[in-house]
Amino acid sequence: MANISTFLNQQLRTDESVSFIASISKKPLLAYLILTVALCFLFSLMGNFGYIFMAFMVLAMLFQCIAYIVYSISSEFVVTNQRVIGKTGLISRNTFEIPLEQGEGLLVRQSLFGRIFGYGSIASSGTGTTTVAMLYLEDPFAVRKQILDAKSLVLDITNSKEAVQ
């Protein structure tokens, strides 16, 4: 299993262990390239006026790729035996944590290219928290399964403790 950042490692409790590290997919870059090439081809059919659109398209996709690269190198999402923890941001830092017993819902989103190339996003919410999104995940359904499996274990432990009392 890959290592987690020092920051997230410091956030772990003494009785907490990482069970899964979600990886950010590199496939969106391929999707951006395919989309840019296809649109540039269509714009080239428009003549000189199309070249202006083509230049804007290339610039827009360049900015999108830069934003993706920054996001992918600065984001980290882990599932522990107690919660889901995430960190994003290169200069500023945004973090979230959702205790597994309080997690209410998971929503998997995949675009057309996401379905073709096997990447997507998961939106998750907990009791009394805002919705958080984990973008560009490699195989988002496997990540969702890991979260649900960890949640099931936590609920089983909680229910067995309540039954003993």
Side-chain angles (χ1 to χ4, degrees):
M1 191 174 286
N3 293 329
I4 62 172
S5 69
T6 304
F7 174 78
L8 280 187
N9 200 31
Q10 292 171 347
Q11 306 309 308
L12 296 178
R13 299 179 190 125
T14 54
D15 61 341
E16 190 172 24
S17 62
V18 173
S19 59
F20 182 75
I21 301 172
S23 61
I24 306 294
S25 178
K26 295 182 181 17
K27 295 172 186 170
L29 289 175
L30 180 60
Y32 295 148
L33 177 65
I34 290 170
L35 185 61
T36 302
V37 169
L39 289 174
C40 284
F41 173 74
L42 290 174
F43 289 147
S44 71
L45 298 176
M46 296 172 63
N48 289 338
F49 190 64
Y51 294 123
I52 296 171
F53 285 124
M54 194 182 314
F56 283 118
M57 175 58 60
V58 170
L59 283 174
M61 286 300 171
L62 181 64
F63 285 123
Q64 182 67 28
C65 287
I66 290 170
Y68 163 79
I69 290 169
V70 168
Y71 179 83
S72 68
I73 62 173
S74 66
S75 298
E76 190 173 22
F77 308 106
V78 297
V79 179
T80 72
N81 58 336
Q82 298 177 12
R83 57 194 171 149
V84 178
I85 309 170
K87 170 193 79 81
T88 63
L90 188 61
I91 296 171
S92 63
R93 181 179 294 153
N94 299 309
T95 63
F96 72 87
E97 65 178 78
I98 300 175
L100 291 171
E101 66 272 0
Q102 294 178 3
E104 291 178 347
L106 296 173
L107 174 65
V108 177
R109 293 185 178 135
Q110 282 187 305
S111 64
L112 173 64
F113 283 117
R115 288 190 68 192
I116 292 170
F117 295 118
Y119 67 89
S121 301
I122 294 180
S124 178
S125 63
T127 304
T129 65
T130 59
T131 300
V132 294
M134 298 174 272
L135 307 176
Y136 304 118
L137 296 176
E138 184 74 35
D139 195 359
F141 289 100
V143 176
R144 184 188 74 171
K145 183 180 182 324
Q146 291 292 330
I147 293 170
L148 293 175
D149 288 348
K151 181 178 180 174
S152 177
L153 284 173
V154 167
L155 293 176
D156 288 346
I157 291 169
T158 303
N159 290 339
S160 65
K161 285 180 182 178
E162 289 174 358
V164 170
Q165 295 174 352

